[in-house]
Amino acid sequence: MITRALLRSLRNDLPMPFMFRQLGDKAPYSKSVEGRFRFQCPHCGETQAVVNPRNNLAHCFYCGKNINNIDLLLAVGYEFVDAVGLLQRWLRLYDAERDGPDMVSRPATAIQPSDQGATLIGHILRQEFGNPRPRR
Ligand SMILES: [Zn+2]
């Protein structure tokens, strides 16, 4: 199921440079300039689209358009559903690479307060381990 939360995650949590690496030959021309990831804008063709690392959104300084991960895949020819599927796969890959083989070492700061899964797990852990007295 495609939810708003999923789409937001696909836009925000998968860094654009990582997506470009996965796209390989299909990716628009890109380069890093002074630490900023810059690529050829799919709308105007100028290499003036620059990714803002804070929100993972690209802005083209030539035509003024904003471009997110999903926009970019659509622009290079993917159907929406395929783009979502691909980004989901790459996001899992990205998470696995970032976390490494030991998921336990993932820093607590990576877990957002709004992450319901994490809250649920925390709740279960508290139930399991938080109360040393056996229930009667
Ligand atoms: Zn442009």
Side-chain angles (χ1 to χ4, degrees):
M1 194 176 68
I2 298 173
T3 62
R4 290 171 72 93
L6 171 65
L7 293 179
R8 193 179 59 227
S9 170
L10 296 180
R11 283 196 301 264
N12 298 351
D13 299 341
L14 181 72
M16 273 204 169
F18 186 91
M19 180 180 73
F20 271 64
R21 229 169 39 238
Q22 301 305 318
L23 264 177
D25 290 347
K26 283 201 159 201
Y29 170 75
S30 67
K31 60 182 176 180
S32 277
V33 180
E34 290 164 6
R36 282 292 177 101
F37 188 78
R38 191 178 265 268
F39 63 90
Q40 189 179 22
C41 172
H43 300 291
C44 68
E46 297 293 324
T47 309
Q48 299 278 351
V50 179
V51 178
N52 181 342
R54 282 199 303 273
N55 58 15
N56 198 42
L57 254 192
H59 176 77
C60 177
F61 287 92
Y62 189 79
C63 71
K65 291 222 163 71
N66 291 320
I67 306 149
N68 63 43
N69 285 345
I70 297 169
D71 297 333
L72 189 105
L73 288 188
L74 298 182
V76 300
Y78 285 98
E79 297 293 330
F80 180 76
V81 173
D82 295 335
V84 168
L86 262 185
L87 288 170
Q88 275 184 287
R89 185 135 48 90
W90 291 341
L91 186 58
R92 278 197 296 272
L93 190 67
Y94 172 72
D95 281 341
E97 280 191 15
R98 186 189 53 186
D99 292 335
D102 186 8
M103 291 289 284
V104 180
S105 67
R106 183 173 173 172
T109 51
I111 298 169
Q112 301 298 318
S114 63
D115 188 338
Q116 291 189 350
T119 309
L120 187 63
I121 289 165
H123 184 66
I124 291 167
L125 287 177
R126 268 195 305 281
Q127 278 191 333
E128 293 294 319
F129 304 112
N131 185 353
R133 289 182 300 273
R135 235 173 282 155
R136 286 169 202 183

